[in-house]
Amino acid sequence: MAKTQLTAGVDSSTQSVKVVIRNAETGKLVRHGRASHPDGTEVDPAHWESALDKAIADAGGLDDVSAISIGGQQHGMVTLDSSGEVIRPALLWNDTRSAQSARDLNAEMGGDAQAAQKVGSVLVASFTATKLRWLADNEKANAAKVAAVALPHDWLSWRLQGGKDFEKLFTDRSDASGTGYFDSVTSTYRDDLLKSALRTDRTIITPRITAPSAFGGTTLSGIPIAAGAGDNAGAALGVQAQPGDVVVSLGTSGTAFAVSDTPTHDPSGAVAGFADATGRFLPLVCTLNAARILDAATRILGKTYDEVGALALTAKPGAHGLSLIPYFEGERTPNRPDATGVFAGMNLNNSNPADIARAMIEGMLCGLVDAVDALEKLGVSINRVLLIGGAAKNPAISSIASSLFGREVLVPQPGEYVADGAARQAAWALLGGATPPQWNLGEVSSTHSIATPEVVSAYRTLRDRTANW
């Protein structure tokens, strides 16, 4: 009888690291672990490494694991000196101090349309290139030390190998496509744009690109390490998304992304033209504000998450005229890094917990309705909407989402889909084959509510009215 092969998948996200150990052939979950990350928009990467060690221990270790893969938060800037030491705390995707740098880089590339054509996306503050420009302009001594630049998942994969030799630094095209100096169509770095971002003539080392189904290295204990992926590409692998699927993920940020056979180049900047983790493309719209809006609702109302959802379901769609623009941490799409949240239409009638809960959930989701609309306007085929992420577990989310999207919403069983996708990628590299193994995801629930386009219309009116606030 053949020995069962296990793969480990890691999700090193903004708030925590999760590790899953799964059967490589069936996907059955064997065990799992997690550990927290510190808060903030800049973090010493050493915290990610120590948290990964704790999560692996919490998952029972890797002694019986045949392969591992790391999924991680996109865009984060990890700068390394010539000795491989981290120069300064990593700037994360949600650090907006490089907003002006993004505008400057887009202009230097010939404008938004040219930027989208060169790297698939109009740059915003999230992209690694903008953070490098901020570094060059604000910390010149640190910028002068930069020998190599990595992203969170690249750096962790490198550290698993000992973290000394730059030749062992590798990544995949999905994560590289979020740097602002990589062309996902040709799968090559734009070294000229990297040098321009850092204001240098020196050659800067970047992680080599590993094929989707290949191993890029080996841990110090001898476990092969697969290519890894950016978090959204990992989630697409985890839910086994196919062309025609749009995945709406409600994590710290909100994202809507679709697996596509063709690349996109959106000069408006709404849709980022990323690569996926299978060799296809992953057009994506990201909002900064998702699950944390629910966090705020629990604090404002003094209720648990489930209680907030239950309250929202007792209110009528539209919350009796109360609307929320949920830009509590600025916003990426639309590109308003300095914006704040706005409640509008408040009166004595809707000044109650139920309408406030409804308005907060509707505001959070309406930003993602805009996201899906932007994908469709670029010609992305959408046959199914899958709702995932921590906030998708809330009892009100799927029902309200279906009414706002005006279509059926599918909700897979709760899971750590980025980590699951990483484990599936490791299984693909381990088992071989033209495509990743098909795993049983369990029952997928379906919700189809009465459409409420008037709620989306009211949201968009407020969105446009507050554009210059």
Side-chain angles (χ1 to χ4, degrees):
M1 184 170 160
K3 180 183 176 182
T4 299
Q5 296 189 92
L6 303 180
T7 59
V10 175
D11 172 16
S12 182
S13 71
T14 313
Q15 296 178 311
S16 63
V17 59
K18 284 80 67 176
V19 175
V20 299
I21 312 294
R22 291 188 173 273
N23 182 304
E25 293 185 352
T26 68
K28 181 180 178 181
L29 180 64
V30 176
R31 56 186 191 270
H32 59 89
R34 68 180 294 138
S36 296
H37 286 160
D39 290 332
T41 62
E42 64 172 56
V43 175
D44 184 340
H47 290 298
W48 301 334
E49 186 175 15
S50 62
L52 177 58
D53 290 341
K54 292 175 184 176
I56 288 173
D58 190 41
L62 303 178
D63 288 347
D64 55 351
V65 167
S66 299
I68 188 171
S69 180
I70 311 288
Q73 54 180 303
Q74 280 191 269
H75 308 303
M77 180 194 75
V78 183
T79 48
L80 304 171
D81 66 17
S82 58
S83 299
E85 297 297 321
V86 173
I87 295 169
R88 69 166 331 277
L91 296 184
L92 306 190
W93 62 273
N94 55 352
D95 192 304
T96 59
R97 73 185 75 178
S98 58
Q100 183 58 50
S101 300
R103 291 188 282 269
D104 293 344
L105 288 171
N106 288 325
E108 290 169 21
M109 283 191 277
D112 290 357
Q114 285 298 309
Q117 194 62 40
K118 289 176 180 178
V119 295
S121 308
V122 177
L123 302 189
V124 294
S126 298
F127 283 70
T128 314
T130 73
K131 301 177 189 307
L132 290 170
R133 172 56 63 85
W134 180 90
L135 186 74
D137 290 344
N138 293 276
E139 297 181 0
K140 291 181 172 58
N142 282 335
K145 298 176 185 176
V146 176
V149 182
L151 306 183
H153 117 249
D154 316 337
W155 186 80
L156 284 170
S157 295
W158 186 59
R159 292 297 300 169
L160 287 175
Q161 301 173 81
K164 299 295 183 183
D165 185 351
F166 283 145
E167 290 186 1
K168 294 182 178 180
L169 192 59
F170 69 88
T171 190
D172 84 307
R173 58 192 287 275
S174 76
D175 219 4
S177 66
T179 60
Y181 45 85
F182 182 83
D183 183 347
S184 61
V185 178
T186 61
S187 291
T188 55
Y189 285 107
R190 289 291 306 265
D191 291 330
D192 57 327
L193 300 180
L194 172 56
K195 290 179 179 178
S196 175
L198 198 55
R199 297 193 188 281
T200 185
D201 293 328
R202 295 181 292 114
T203 296
I204 304 299
I205 296 169
T206 49
R208 73 179 186 277
I209 303 301
T210 301
S213 60
F215 290 120
T218 305
T219 71
L220 293 176
S221 60
I223 301 171
I225 311 169
D231 49 5
N232 294 296
L237 263 183
V239 297
Q240 300 183 156
Q242 299 295 320
D245 290 343
V246 61
V247 180
V248 176
S249 177
L250 298 170
T252 304
S253 63
T255 53
F257 50 90
V259 175
S260 175
D261 288 321
T262 56
T264 57
H265 301 86
D266 181 11
S268 78
V271 179
F274 295 149
D276 84 336
T278 70
R280 296 186 176 99
F281 299 91
L282 197 79
L284 178 146
V285 181
C286 180
T287 67
L288 288 183
N289 300 276
R292 286 184 175 174
I293 303 304
L294 288 182
D295 294 343
T298 65
R299 294 193 296 271
I300 291 169
L301 298 170
K303 302 290 185 181
T304 66
Y305 294 98
D306 285 353
E307 287 171 341
V308 169
L311 270 174
L313 290 176
T314 67
K316 291 184 178 180
H320 293 100
L322 183 62
S323 296
L324 172 70
I325 296 297
Y327 303 161
F328 285 25
E329 295 188 290
E331 190 46 82
R332 167 171 167 171
T333 310
N335 187 20
R336 302 182 190 176
D338 301 319
T340 57
V342 177
F343 266 117
M346 184 169 279
N347 54 44
L348 293 177
N349 183 45
N350 58 31
S351 299
N352 61 75
D355 282 325
I356 291 171
R358 183 88 189 196
M360 294 189 78
I361 290 176
E362 287 178 341
M364 175 186 72
L365 290 171
C366 277
L368 291 159
V369 173
D370 280 353
V372 173
D373 185 59
L375 292 172
E376 289 191 292
K377 285 180 178 177
L378 278 186
V380 175
S381 175
I382 297 175
N383 299 323
R384 302 193 306 168
V385 174
L386 289 80
L387 195 63
I388 65 170
K393 304 172 188 176
N394 189 284
I397 295 297
S398 61
S399 174
I400 296 176
S402 178
S403 70
L404 296 174
F405 284 115
R407 64 174 81 203
E408 179 186 32
V409 167
L410 302 175
V411 183
Q413 290 186 354
E416 299 294 350
Y417 282 109
V418 177
D420 292 343
R424 186 170 175 239
Q425 183 192 59
W428 188 12
L430 181 67
L431 301 176
T435 58
Q438 290 297 304
W439 287 353
N440 182 1
L441 298 180
E443 182 180 354
V444 177
S445 63
S446 170
T447 302
H448 202 162
S449 304
I450 297 172
T452 55
E454 69 279 3
V455 177
V456 178
S457 179
Y459 170 86
R460 288 173 173 168
T461 297
L462 179 60
R463 176 203 64 195
D464 294 343
R465 183 156 60 89
T466 59
N468 296 317
W469 288 18

